[in-house]
Amino acid sequence: MANSLKEIKAFLNANRYEEVPTAQHDLERGLHPFVTISREYGAGGHGLAQYLLKLFENQDSPLFQGWRILDRELCEKLVADNQLNQSIRALLSEKYQSEIEALVFSLLGEPSQKTLIYTRLFELIRTLATFGKVIIIGRAGCCITKSLPLGIHIRLVAPLEYRRERMESVGRQSKRLVQQIDRDRSRFLKVHFNRDISDPLLYDIVFNTGKVPLASAAQVILTMIHSKIAEEENQQTLELSAFQPVQQT
Protein backbone atom coordinates (compact mmCIF):
# COMPACT_ATOMS: atom_id res chain seq x y z
CA MET A 1 0.00 0.00 0.00
CA ALA A 2 2.81 2.42 0.91
CA ASN A 3 4.50 1.98 -2.46
CA SER A 4 1.20 2.44 -4.37
CA LEU A 5 0.51 5.63 -2.40
CA LYS A 6 3.95 7.02 -3.20
CA GLU A 7 3.65 6.12 -6.88
CA ILE A 8 0.31 7.86 -7.36
CA LYS A 9 1.39 10.89 -5.34
CA ALA A 10 4.55 11.14 -7.46
CA PHE A 11 2.46 10.88 -10.64
CA LEU A 12 0.09 13.67 -9.61
CA ASN A 13 2.81 15.92 -8.24
CA ALA A 14 4.87 15.52 -11.41
CA ASN A 15 2.02 16.52 -13.72
CA ARG A 16 0.08 19.73 -14.06
CA TYR A 17 -2.77 20.46 -16.42
CA GLU A 18 -0.81 23.29 -18.05
CA GLU A 19 2.09 20.94 -18.75
CA VAL A 20 0.09 18.18 -20.39
CA PRO A 21 0.97 18.24 -24.12
CA THR A 22 -2.57 17.70 -25.36
CA ALA A 23 -5.75 19.60 -26.06
CA GLN A 24 -8.60 19.90 -23.57
CA HIS A 25 -10.62 17.82 -26.02
CA ASP A 26 -8.24 14.91 -25.36
CA LEU A 27 -8.54 15.34 -21.60
CA GLU A 28 -12.32 15.15 -21.90
CA ARG A 29 -12.04 11.90 -23.88
CA GLY A 30 -9.23 10.46 -21.77
CA LEU A 31 -5.59 9.77 -22.61
CA HIS A 32 -5.23 6.04 -21.95
CA PRO A 33 -7.47 3.04 -21.24
CA PHE A 34 -8.59 2.21 -17.71
CA VAL A 35 -10.70 -0.46 -16.02
CA THR A 36 -13.43 -0.20 -13.38
CA ILE A 37 -14.43 -3.25 -11.33
CA SER A 38 -17.77 -3.41 -9.53
CA ARG A 39 -18.17 -6.59 -7.50
CA GLU A 40 -20.29 -8.50 -5.10
CA TYR A 41 -18.41 -8.99 -1.86
CA GLY A 42 -16.11 -12.00 -2.16
CA ALA A 43 -16.45 -12.27 -5.97
CA GLY A 44 -12.75 -11.54 -6.48
CA GLY A 45 -12.26 -7.88 -7.39
CA HIS A 46 -8.74 -7.56 -6.01
CA GLY A 47 -7.78 -10.96 -7.37
CA LEU A 48 -8.89 -9.96 -10.86
CA ALA A 49 -6.94 -6.71 -10.60
CA GLN A 50 -3.78 -8.63 -9.71
CA TYR A 51 -4.25 -10.99 -12.66
CA LEU A 52 -4.64 -7.98 -14.95
CA LEU A 53 -1.42 -6.38 -13.71
CA LYS A 54 0.49 -9.60 -14.42
CA LEU A 55 -0.97 -9.80 -17.92
CA PHE A 56 -0.19 -6.16 -18.64
CA GLU A 57 3.44 -6.57 -17.57
CA ASN A 58 3.88 -9.15 -20.35
CA GLN A 59 2.51 -6.88 -23.09
CA ASP A 60 4.96 -5.22 -25.48
CA SER A 61 2.96 -2.02 -25.90
CA PRO A 62 3.93 0.87 -23.59
CA LEU A 63 0.19 1.43 -23.07
CA PHE A 64 0.22 -1.56 -20.73
CA GLN A 65 3.17 -0.47 -18.62
CA GLY A 66 2.85 1.40 -15.31
CA TRP A 67 -0.73 0.47 -14.41
CA ARG A 68 -1.93 0.95 -10.81
CA ILE A 69 -4.74 -0.42 -8.65
CA LEU A 70 -7.02 2.15 -7.00
CA ASP A 71 -9.20 0.68 -4.25
CA ARG A 72 -11.10 2.03 -1.25
CA GLU A 73 -8.17 2.03 1.16
CA LEU A 74 -5.86 3.84 -1.25
CA CYS A 75 -8.61 6.34 -2.18
CA GLU A 76 -9.14 7.24 1.47
CA LYS A 77 -5.43 7.82 2.03
CA LEU A 78 -5.13 9.94 -1.10
CA VAL A 79 -8.23 12.03 -0.35
CA ALA A 80 -6.97 12.76 3.17
CA ASP A 81 -3.76 14.28 1.80
CA ASN A 82 -4.33 18.06 1.42
CA GLN A 83 -1.19 18.60 -0.64
CA LEU A 84 -2.30 15.87 -3.01
CA ASN A 85 -5.73 17.48 -3.40
CA GLN A 86 -4.00 20.59 -4.72
CA SER A 87 -2.14 18.44 -7.24
CA ILE A 88 -5.40 16.85 -8.39
CA ARG A 89 -7.04 20.21 -8.99
CA ALA A 90 -3.95 21.50 -10.79
CA LEU A 91 -4.41 18.74 -13.37
CA LEU A 92 -7.85 20.00 -14.36
CA SER A 93 -9.06 23.11 -16.09
CA GLU A 94 -11.41 25.40 -14.13
CA LYS A 95 -14.26 24.43 -16.44
CA TYR A 96 -13.66 20.74 -15.77
CA GLN A 97 -13.46 21.32 -11.99
CA SER A 98 -16.75 23.23 -12.04
CA GLU A 99 -18.51 20.46 -13.94
CA ILE A 100 -17.43 17.83 -11.39
CA GLU A 101 -18.38 20.05 -8.43
CA ALA A 102 -21.81 20.74 -9.94
CA LEU A 103 -22.37 17.00 -10.39
CA VAL A 104 -21.38 16.14 -6.82
CA PHE A 105 -23.35 18.98 -5.21
CA SER A 106 -26.44 18.06 -7.22
CA LEU A 107 -26.14 14.50 -5.95
CA LEU A 108 -25.31 15.27 -2.33
CA GLY A 109 -27.17 18.51 -1.69
CA GLU A 110 -25.75 21.58 0.00
CA PRO A 111 -21.97 21.64 0.58
CA SER A 112 -20.91 20.03 3.86
CA GLN A 113 -17.80 18.34 5.17
CA LYS A 114 -19.09 15.01 3.88
CA THR A 115 -19.93 16.56 0.52
CA LEU A 116 -16.42 17.96 0.21
CA ILE A 117 -14.93 14.55 0.96
CA TYR A 118 -16.99 12.97 -1.81
CA THR A 119 -16.09 15.83 -4.14
CA ARG A 120 -12.42 15.09 -3.60
CA LEU A 121 -13.00 11.37 -3.97
CA PHE A 122 -14.87 11.75 -7.26
CA GLU A 123 -12.30 14.25 -8.55
CA LEU A 124 -9.49 11.86 -7.70
CA ILE A 125 -11.10 8.89 -9.44
CA ARG A 126 -12.14 10.94 -12.46
CA THR A 127 -8.68 12.53 -12.79
CA LEU A 128 -6.77 9.26 -12.59
CA ALA A 129 -9.21 7.63 -15.03
CA THR A 130 -8.74 10.54 -17.45
CA PHE A 131 -5.01 9.94 -17.53
CA GLY A 132 -5.65 6.20 -17.61
CA LYS A 133 -3.67 3.08 -16.71
CA VAL A 134 -5.63 2.55 -13.50
CA ILE A 135 -7.80 -0.32 -12.28
CA ILE A 136 -10.52 1.26 -10.14
CA ILE A 137 -12.07 -1.19 -7.67
CA GLY A 138 -15.48 -0.09 -6.40
CA ARG A 139 -16.18 3.53 -5.36
CA ALA A 140 -18.85 3.87 -8.11
CA GLY A 141 -16.07 4.04 -10.68
CA CYS A 142 -18.34 3.03 -13.56
CA CYS A 143 -20.68 5.97 -12.88
CA ILE A 144 -18.02 8.59 -12.21
CA THR A 145 -16.16 7.76 -15.43
CA LYS A 146 -19.04 6.78 -17.72
CA SER A 147 -18.44 9.62 -20.20
CA LEU A 148 -14.80 8.64 -20.78
CA PRO A 149 -14.78 6.40 -23.89
CA LEU A 150 -11.58 4.50 -23.04
CA GLY A 151 -13.02 2.83 -19.94
CA ILE A 152 -13.74 -0.89 -19.65
CA HIS A 153 -16.43 -1.45 -17.02
CA ILE A 154 -16.58 -4.86 -15.32
CA ARG A 155 -19.06 -6.41 -12.87
CA LEU A 156 -18.20 -9.55 -10.87
CA VAL A 157 -20.91 -11.72 -9.34
CA ALA A 158 -20.96 -15.19 -7.78
CA PRO A 159 -23.35 -17.40 -5.78
CA LEU A 160 -23.68 -16.30 -2.15
CA GLU A 161 -22.47 -19.60 -0.71
CA TYR A 162 -19.41 -19.56 -2.97
CA ARG A 163 -18.56 -16.03 -1.82
CA ARG A 164 -19.13 -16.88 1.85
CA GLU A 165 -16.83 -19.90 1.64
CA ARG A 166 -14.23 -17.88 -0.22
CA MET A 167 -14.16 -15.15 2.43
CA GLU A 168 -14.15 -17.63 5.30
CA SER A 169 -11.17 -19.38 3.71
CA VAL A 170 -9.13 -16.21 4.30
CA GLY A 171 -10.43 -15.81 7.83
CA ARG A 172 -13.30 -13.42 7.18
CA GLN A 173 -16.98 -12.98 7.83
CA SER A 174 -20.19 -14.86 7.84
CA LYS A 175 -22.95 -15.04 5.24
CA ARG A 176 -24.81 -12.28 7.07
CA LEU A 177 -21.87 -9.88 6.83
CA VAL A 178 -21.33 -10.73 3.15
CA GLN A 179 -24.96 -9.78 2.50
CA GLN A 180 -24.64 -6.59 4.57
CA ILE A 181 -21.62 -5.39 2.60
CA ASP A 182 -23.48 -6.11 -0.64
CA ARG A 183 -26.37 -3.94 0.60
CA ASP A 184 -24.01 -1.13 1.61
CA ARG A 185 -22.42 -1.08 -1.83
CA SER A 186 -25.80 -1.10 -3.53
CA ARG A 187 -26.98 1.76 -1.31
CA PHE A 188 -23.88 3.85 -2.10
CA LEU A 189 -24.63 3.75 -5.83
CA LYS A 190 -28.34 4.33 -5.33
CA VAL A 191 -27.93 7.31 -2.99
CA HIS A 192 -25.22 9.12 -4.94
CA PHE A 193 -26.06 8.20 -8.55
CA ASN A 194 -29.62 6.84 -8.41
CA ARG A 195 -28.48 3.70 -10.20
CA ASP A 196 -29.06 0.02 -9.48
CA ILE A 197 -25.68 -1.63 -8.94
CA SER A 198 -27.01 -4.89 -10.44
CA ASP A 199 -28.12 -3.21 -13.69
CA PRO A 200 -26.07 -4.98 -16.40
CA LEU A 201 -26.32 -1.91 -18.65
CA LEU A 202 -23.85 -0.11 -16.38
CA TYR A 203 -21.13 -2.53 -17.45
CA ASP A 204 -19.41 -3.76 -20.59
CA ILE A 205 -19.39 -7.33 -19.30
CA VAL A 206 -20.50 -9.29 -16.22
CA PHE A 207 -18.54 -12.33 -15.03
CA ASN A 208 -19.87 -15.05 -12.73
CA THR A 209 -16.62 -15.90 -10.95
CA GLY A 210 -18.24 -18.97 -9.45
CA LYS A 211 -17.93 -20.45 -12.94
CA VAL A 212 -15.42 -18.27 -14.79
CA PRO A 213 -11.85 -18.34 -13.37
CA LEU A 214 -10.33 -14.94 -12.67
CA ALA A 215 -7.43 -15.72 -15.02
CA SER A 216 -9.88 -16.33 -17.88
CA ALA A 217 -11.78 -13.14 -17.09
CA ALA A 218 -8.50 -11.20 -17.16
CA GLN A 219 -7.69 -12.57 -20.61
CA VAL A 220 -11.09 -11.44 -21.91
CA ILE A 221 -10.58 -7.96 -20.46
CA LEU A 222 -7.15 -7.72 -22.08
CA THR A 223 -8.73 -8.50 -25.46
CA MET A 224 -11.41 -5.87 -24.79
CA ILE A 225 -8.75 -3.24 -24.07
CA HIS A 226 -6.94 -4.05 -27.31
CA SER A 227 -10.24 -3.67 -29.17
CA LYS A 228 -10.98 -0.40 -27.38
CA ILE A 229 -7.59 1.01 -28.37
CA ALA A 230 -8.10 0.00 -32.01
CA GLU A 231 -11.60 1.52 -31.98
CA GLU A 232 -10.31 4.81 -30.57
CA GLU A 233 -7.47 4.95 -33.12
CA ASN A 234 -9.99 4.43 -35.94
CA GLN A 235 -12.20 7.17 -34.51
CA GLN A 236 -9.29 9.60 -34.35
CA THR A 237 -8.35 8.76 -37.94
CA LEU A 238 -11.91 9.48 -39.08
CA GLU A 239 -11.97 12.79 -37.20
CA LEU A 240 -8.66 13.87 -38.73
CA SER A 241 -9.75 12.90 -42.24
CA ALA A 242 -12.89 14.99 -41.85
CA PHE A 243 -10.70 18.10 -41.52
CA GLN A 244 -8.47 17.28 -44.50
CA PRO A 245 -9.00 19.65 -47.47
CA VAL A 246 -10.72 18.14 -50.47
CA GLN A 247 -8.39 17.81 -53.46
CA GLN A 248 -9.59 19.75 -56.50
CA THR A 249 -9.63 17.83 -59.79
Side-chain angles (χ1 to χ4, degrees):
M1 175 60 66
N3 287 337
S4 296
L5 185 64
K6 289 174 63 177
E7 288 174 1
I8 291 182
K9 287 179 68 173
F11 165 78
L12 289 170
N13 286 326
N15 289 278
R16 293 292 184 273
Y17 170 75
E18 293 80 8
E19 298 169 358
V20 176
T22 184
Q24 175 66 12
H25 171 72
D26 294 328
L27 279 178
E28 291 173 350
R29 293 176 67 91
L31 301 182
H32 298 298
F34 64 93
V35 175
T36 71
I37 300 176
S38 170
R39 75 282 189 224
E40 292 182 328
Y41 186 61
H46 283 84
L48 177 60
Q50 292 295 339
Y51 271 110
L52 286 171
L53 288 185
K54 291 177 182 178
L55 277 177
F56 294 166
E57 289 172 357
N58 295 324
Q59 299 297 304
D60 294 330
S61 171
L63 284 174
F64 289 95
Q65 306 306 310
W67 281 63
R68 303 171 181 85
I69 296 172
L70 188 66
D71 60 11
R72 175 178 180 174
E73 184 179 355
L74 183 54
C75 278
E76 289 176 351
K77 290 182 180 294
L78 292 169
V79 168
D81 190 315
N82 289 329
Q83 182 179 359
L84 186 65
N85 287 321
Q86 296 175 4
S87 297
I88 294 170
R89 300 186 71 78
L91 286 167
L92 304 174
S93 70
E94 291 184 4
K95 175 178 179 292
Y96 203 32
Q97 290 177 26
S98 298
E99 289 174 352
I100 294 177
E101 285 184 351
L103 167 65
V104 176
F105 290 157
S106 68
L107 294 171
L108 303 181
E110 291 300 316
S112 64
Q113 185 60 35
K114 186 176 181 180
T115 301
L116 293 175
I117 290 173
Y118 279 122
T119 302
R120 292 171 184 168
L121 172 65
F122 293 168
E123 283 182 344
L124 169 68
I125 292 172
R126 175 76 184 206
T127 301
L128 291 175
T130 298
F131 283 84
K133 297 188 179 183
V134 289
I135 301 170
I136 302 165
I137 302 177
R139 303 296 85 194
C142 62
C143 293
I144 297 167
T145 65
K146 66 179 181 179
S147 65
L148 295 173
L150 293 180
I152 301 290
H153 305 294
I154 308 301
R155 173 74 172 164
L156 302 183
V157 300
L160 177 60
E161 190 61 24
Y162 170 88
R163 295 187 286 123
R164 183 195 64 78
E165 291 177 358
R166 186 173 182 274
M167 298 316 295
E168 284 191 346
S169 70
V170 293
R172 296 182 188 174
Q173 290 102 15
S174 64
K175 180 187 296 186
R176 180 178 297 178
L177 190 49
V178 169
Q179 292 173 310
Q180 180 60 52
I181 293 174
D182 281 343
R183 286 193 293 269
D184 290 344
R185 291 174 175 173
S186 178
R187 188 180 303 113
F188 183 85
L189 211 69
K190 188 67 175 178
V191 168
H192 299 311
F193 294 92
N194 196 29
R195 300 301 302 267
D196 180 357
I197 197 170
S198 63
D199 181 0
L201 297 180
L202 288 176
Y203 313 103
D204 295 307
I205 191 168
V206 179
F207 292 104
N208 176 358
T209 59
K211 294 185 176 181
V212 179
L214 293 177
S216 299
Q219 289 284 355
V220 172
I221 295 168
L222 177 63
T223 300
M224 293 174 70
I225 293 174
H226 278 294
S227 297
K228 180 74 71 172
I229 293 169
E231 178 184 328
E232 184 67 11
E233 289 176 347
N234 289 336
Q235 180 63 31
Q236 291 179 356
T237 300
L238 289 173
E239 290 177 356
L240 287 173
S241 64
F243 289 99
Q244 295 297 322
V246 178
Q247 297 292 329
Q248 299 293 328
T249 59

